[in-house]
Structures are given as structure tokens and as C-alpha cells.
Amino acid sequence: KFPMPVIWEFLLKENYYSKNADALKAVTTTLDAMGNGGIYDHLGGGFARYSTDAEWKVPHFEKMLYDNAQLVSLYSHAYQVTQNEEYARVVQETLEFVKQELTSPEAGFYSSLNADSEGEEGAFYVWTGNELEKIMSEPAAPVIRDHFNITNEGNWEQGKNVLFKGKPLKEIANEHKLTDSEVQKIIAESKGKLLEVRNKRIHPSLDDKILTAWNALMLTGYIDAYWALGEETYLDIVLKNAQFIRKNM
């Protein structure tokens, strides 16, 4: 399954002009599923190119600038309509990924990150149950297992786990006899620990082409995020990228 942002943008506009509730429901159902699925990088932000299954769980791990640009716009617009804070978080984390991984020193945007590292697709992103146990302590380990569907057998292939969300936080809290805020704290701290470990792995290679059209899409994504969230640093990045395009492209 490919994200196809233009379709959901069309349906958002349909809802805006006609108040068609079914159109909005179609959009939010898909955005919720993608944001919870393995196609989204829950540790480092940003979306993979597509999923290899019908439920957005297992991605083709390549991350493209043009996908993330359009999805930033889409989630920004969806946030303006719904005020769903999860959509705002996806925008913020994805733009942090773009800033860290796909932005040149001259303020241009690179094209993509490869799916492979160490000769294996997805090696940078997946986890075994044993790895988790070495990183996490009680009560974090069982909470993170539930939150990201991690098993010792693996939820993917060769005992590996793709991180995707399963149970609602309230259900996890009840099962582990914790409060919602305690679960949220455990998840936030654990994501930081996992990201720290992941960043020590060999990174996927970078396609450092800087293309005018894809940069224009990402510039638009930053503008849409600025209008939706009011973050001034997004506008600063827009202006620097626009100057880069005018000067160099």
C-alpha cells in the first residue's frame, strides 16, 4: 500500500466544502492507520515509501523526500480540521527527521535514505526480543513489548520485529496496573533509549541529489506545518530553502 497523499487531500477538501462526514472519516481512518503502523518510524520520525502488506505494518524501508513532504502537508491540514494532537506529533517528528537526515548545510533537501544497511533491507530499523530485554528494565520492557508489538519470535521475518502500535494506551495501562501518565512517560523514555542504541548502528546510505521539484514539495510541507502549528523555526527553514532554490536551481 502506498500513502497516496493527493487522494486524502482531495477528500479533506471535499469535507471542508460539503461537510461530508464520510470523506473526513476516510481520511482520519487512513492517517491513524499509517501513523500507528510500521510504515511510520516511531523512533526517528518520517515515513517509509510504502508498506508490503494491507495494514501498513511492514514497510519497504526506503524514505523518500517527496513522500514525507506531501505527508507533512496532509497531516498538517488534517490537524487544522481535527485538532488531533497525534497528527501534530507526526508532523513535528517527521520534520525533525528531515532536518537531521535530509537537509544539506546549504539548506537544500536531499532525495532519500536507502532501505538497506549492512547489505540487508531494514537492518537499521528492526529489533529482536533479546535486544529489547538488554536495553529495557522493568516495568518498561513489558510495556514497550505491548506498545510496539514486540515478541521473541518476531512479528516480521527471521525473528525480527518492526515497531508498530497495537493496543490503546489505556488498555496497556490497565493491564500493567499503571496510570496513563506513567505509561506515556515509560514510552517516551524508552523511545529515547532505543533511538540512542539505533543511532550507533550503521546508517542507511544517503541519496544526496537535490531536485528542484522535490525541494518545492518539502518547502510547501514546511509552510503548511507553519500555518498549522505556528512554529517560527519552520518559516526560517522555508526562507532559507527558497533562497537556496533561487540562487542555485
Side-chain angles (χ1 to χ4, degrees):
K1 291 181 78 169
F2 287 79
M4 308 292 278
V6 67
I7 293 174
W8 312 113
E9 290 279 11
F10 170 80
L11 288 174
L12 269 182
K13 289 184 174 67
E14 161 68 14
N15 168 258
Y16 179 80
Y17 287 114
S18 72
K19 309 308 177 190
N20 182 339
D22 287 340
L24 181 59
K25 180 64 175 175
V27 175
T28 56
T29 297
T30 297
L31 296 197
D32 292 347
M34 288 196 300
N36 289 331
I39 191 174
Y40 184 69
D41 182 352
H42 294 280
L43 301 184
F47 288 87
R49 193 176 180 192
Y50 59 87
S51 75
T52 62
D53 61 274
E55 298 180 349
W56 305 108
K57 289 182 179 178
V58 178
H60 171 57
F61 293 89
E62 189 175 20
K63 286 180 170 180
M64 309 298 295
L65 178 67
Y66 64 82
D67 285 322
N68 283 284
Q70 293 174 91
L71 287 165
V72 164
S73 291
L74 174 59
Y75 275 84
S76 295
H77 294 150
Y79 174 73
Q80 288 177 302
V81 172
T82 66
Q83 295 298 296
N84 184 335
E85 291 299 328
E86 285 296 297
Y87 297 164
R89 180 185 58 78
V90 166
V91 169
Q92 291 161 344
E93 291 178 354
T94 300
L95 289 180
E96 183 64 21
F97 154 70
V98 171
K99 178 182 175 183
Q100 297 296 330
E101 304 286 350
L102 294 181
T103 303
S104 77
E106 303 82 15
F109 300 121
Y110 299 131
S111 291
S112 68
L113 282 184
N114 197 352
D116 298 3
S117 56
E118 303 181 78
E120 182 181 335
E121 182 180 342
F124 184 70
Y125 300 100
V126 297
W127 303 83
T128 66
N130 286 336
E131 282 180 301
L132 179 77
E133 294 298 336
K134 290 176 182 177
I135 299 166
M136 299 286 129
S137 57
E138 298 286 342
V143 169
I144 292 302
R145 279 180 175 275
D146 274 1
H147 184 61
F148 284 133
N149 291 279
I150 297 171
T151 69
N152 287 338
E153 299 77 28
N155 61 34
W156 186 37
E157 57 187 29
Q158 298 177 332
K160 304 293 178 60
N161 291 276
V162 174
L163 303 187
F164 62 88
K165 293 183 183 178
K167 297 176 183 177
L169 290 185
K170 186 168 288 295
E171 185 177 333
I172 294 174
N174 289 337
E175 287 184 6
H176 296 279
K177 296 181 171 53
L178 298 166
T179 65
D180 291 359
S181 60
E182 286 173 332
V183 170
Q184 289 172 340
K185 183 180 179 184
I186 286 171
I187 290 170
E189 291 176 350
S190 299
K191 284 170 63 175
K193 288 181 180 178
L194 290 170
L195 185 61
E196 185 178 346
V197 171
R198 195 179 82 173
N199 282 338
K200 295 175 182 176
R201 297 174 177 173
I202 296 175
H203 280 58
S205 59
L206 172 71
D207 180 348
D208 62 359
K209 291 193 303 293
I210 298 178
L211 305 175
T212 307
W214 294 10
N215 271 245
L217 286 171
M218 193 69 251
L219 180 150
T220 302
Y222 266 106
I223 290 174
D224 290 336
Y226 169 69
W227 283 119
L229 304 180
E231 177 55 60
E232 291 291 336
T233 58
Y234 296 165
L235 184 59
D236 293 338
I237 291 169
V238 164
L239 295 175
K240 289 175 181 175
N241 180 251
Q243 291 162 358
F244 171 86
I245 292 173
R246 290 188 66 184
K247 178 181 178 182
N248 298 287
M249 313 297 275

